[in-house]
Amino acid sequence: MLQLIYRIIYSENINYVLRNINKLLSPFLPNSIRIPPSGIIKAKNSNGNSIKFSLNQSSGFGSVIFWDGYQTFEYTAIFIKLIKKVHSFYDIGANLGYYTLIAASENSGIRIVCFEPATGPAFYLNRNITINGISNITVEAIALSNIEGTIDFYEIRNKKYKFLEHCLAGESNAGSITTGRNFHISKVRTTTLDQYVATNNEREIDLIKMDTEGTEHLILSKSTMVLTQMKPIIICETLFNVIEEQLEEIMTGFGYEFYNHIGTGLKKVTSIKRTQDDGVRNCFFVHPSKKHLIEEFISVE
């Protein structure tokens, strides 16, 4: 019975009505009463044009976008300005394409390559590219890592909404987390970033976003050519006491500087290693030769 109720609440048309009524009444309701969106939600880019996001109720950031506005999500406000300054963007761990869609919407001339091996997010990623009419994006259903071949990939199945075919939880991974969630294991193709760039004759990568749930250091450890020759700015999610030390060692070796995202801007730090857990954090790895691209975001705090 409960699953039937969920099916009704999160069917696209009914959810549209319910969530908007919920939003209208939200000033009089506790914050805990917020219906997650399912279907298509829209946002306006900096030029006033619409971006469409197709998603379901398992998408955590879908709720943030609908309830709080998409520019409040992570480092979006900085990203919107930064993406207009570059010519090429790699979205590694693209999920349903949030940053990919923003990049394409804000910079029509940019070249985008996104990587998403999880079948659920990849389904919505391709759908979102289609409904937004975008043609300058290459989608790769492979996992970047430190080897070439195939690897076990752990994709989450949603326990609450058992009828969902596509789960948009962001914890699917290439082996960094294998217990504690309802994982389905499959084989996916993998290659290194350097090998992918060489195979596809890529000449330039200006900006990379990485969110691969704790395997970022493996990817970067086999990206010598990219880091020495192209020197892209890398936006990387960092988890406390997981791979911060490895990331710092790798990027220091290539002469990169570290800037933590602090909400209003970027704060330069000498180390990304933390002594206490203050949650998920995003760090901008910036080579001095690219510092001019982030100068306006650097906080004086």
Side-chain angles (χ1 to χ4, degrees), residues 73-137:
F73 183 71
E74 294 184 337
Y75 46 84
T76 299
I78 291 175
F79 186 84
I80 288 172
K81 295 180 180 179
L82 178 59
I83 204 67
K84 295 176 181 179
K85 302 179 182 182
V86 301
H87 302 99
S88 54
F89 172 53
Y90 269 39
D91 193 350
I92 304 175
N95 199 266
L96 57 77
Y98 176 73
Y99 286 107
T100 285
L101 296 176
I102 291 175
S105 174
E106 296 288 350
N107 185 344
S108 61
I110 197 170
R111 168 165 165 67
I112 302 171
V113 181
C114 48
F115 300 83
E116 185 48 69
T119 57
F123 172 83
Y124 279 97
L125 170 62
N126 284 288
R127 173 182 282 185
N128 283 325
I129 291 170
T130 298
I131 66 175
N132 283 281
I134 303 169
S135 59
N136 57 335
I137 299 176

Side-chain angles (χ1 to χ4, degrees), residues 27 47 66 69 105 181-182 206 281:
N47 297 317
F66 178 73
S105 174
R181 297 297 299 270
N182 186 26
D206 299 318
R281 190 171 62 187

Side-chain angles (χ1 to χ4, degrees), residues 151-170:
I151 57 173
D152 287 339
F153 191 82
Y154 295 75
E155 185 167 352
I156 291 180
R157 296 289 187 262
N158 194 282
K159 285 185 175 180
K160 183 176 181 180
Y161 309 113
K162 297 178 181 180
F163 57 90
L164 273 186
E165 182 179 1
H166 304 294
C167 179
L168 294 173

